[in-house]
Amino acid sequence: MKLKVSELYLGFQNKVFEISSKNLADRGIVYKKEIIIAKLSLIKEKNCFCLNGNLETTVEYDCVRCLKKNPNKINIPINILIFEKTMEHQTRNDREIIYFNKSNDYVNLKSIFSDLIALAEPIQPLCDKKCTGLCPTCGIEKTNSCNCNKRTVFTAWDKLKDLQI
Ligand SMILES: [Zn+2]
Ligand SMILES: [Zn+2]
């Protein structure tokens, strides 16, 4: 995903970009659809360019409990300030900042978009809040006809009885 430097000065409103996930940096994200849709507006501000909008894609996360892959439609707000490299280093906590070199023809958004998508992943992705996960005894999803739970408890008690004998 690149923006022409000349395009920065012209700006755009609600422009739809179709980005191929193959053109993003590899961050270990599994894209369910190859095309990522970004709807972006670019406004020139006093000493920078402001890129706003959102990015929509469907990615696959492994559920931490049952390990099943589940697709997640994600919508990420985009709020990026683009500065020319000659500007002194900017610090803003509310926005992402990238720099471009006026001598280059393009501003590369590949890394920042990949990072934002990777950051959208929950720390512990679940297929469902109610996911009970896999049974440690039989490996079957607990929600599906597994009765090990009771038996496991009994087995523990049985072993204790053995010890007492
Ligand atoms: Zn699950
Ligand atoms: Zn079981």
Side-chain angles (χ1 to χ4, degrees):
M1 170 73 192
K2 287 172 176 175
L3 283 179
K4 266 189 188 158
V5 169
S6 57
E7 221 174 349
L8 292 181
Y9 292 91
L10 294 170
F12 47 79
Q13 274 290 318
N14 294 323
K15 192 171 169 181
V16 176
F17 293 85
E18 290 193 354
I19 310 157
S20 167
S21 58
K22 286 174 188 157
N23 289 333
L24 291 181
D26 185 13
R27 295 285 187 273
I29 294 289
V30 181
Y31 294 94
K32 196 79 183 143
K33 288 179 194 157
E34 200 205 314
I35 298 298
I36 295 156
I37 305 289
K39 200 174 175 187
L40 304 167
S41 298
L42 187 108
I43 304 154
K44 191 183 180 319
E45 285 185 359
K46 208 171 142 200
N47 50 16
C48 66
F49 301 93
C50 184
L51 187 69
N52 283 310
N54 69 299
L55 205 148
E56 212 177 85
T57 182
T58 304
V59 294
E60 221 171 54
Y61 299 136
D62 292 340
C63 171
V64 287
R65 289 187 194 153
C66 70
L67 311 175
K68 235 192 306 184
K69 290 187 190 303
N70 58 296
N72 276 262
K73 197 172 176 182
I74 52 171
N75 195 316
I76 301 163
I78 300 293
N79 233 316
I80 303 170
L81 294 181
I82 305 169
F83 285 93
E84 209 182 308
K85 222 161 202 159
T86 51
M87 293 291 299
E88 57 183 277
H89 196 77
Q90 307 287 323
T91 42
R92 290 278 294 261
N93 295 325
D94 54 337
R95 312 235 190 133
E96 304 290 333
I97 290 173
I98 56 168
Y99 294 90
F100 74 98
N101 210 322
K102 223 176 172 178
S103 57
N104 291 346
D105 291 338
Y106 292 97
V107 180
N108 204 332
L109 296 166
K110 187 175 157 171
S111 297
I112 194 149
F113 280 2
S114 314
D115 289 343
L116 289 172
I117 294 168
L119 282 172
E121 178 168 355
I123 297 163
Q124 297 210 308
L126 293 175
C127 61
D128 189 294
K129 271 181 197 157
K130 289 177 199 152
C131 176
T132 51
L134 299 178
C135 167
T137 311
C138 69
I140 295 174
E141 260 178 84
K142 281 185 206 164
T143 38
N144 293 346
S145 63
C146 160
N147 291 315
C148 298
N149 209 5
K150 264 186 187 170
R151 254 181 262 154
T152 315
V153 175
F154 284 138
T155 315
W157 281 111
D158 287 346
K159 273 184 188 152
L160 210 70
K161 267 187 229 158
D162 289 346
L163 282 174
Q164 282 168 344
I165 290 162

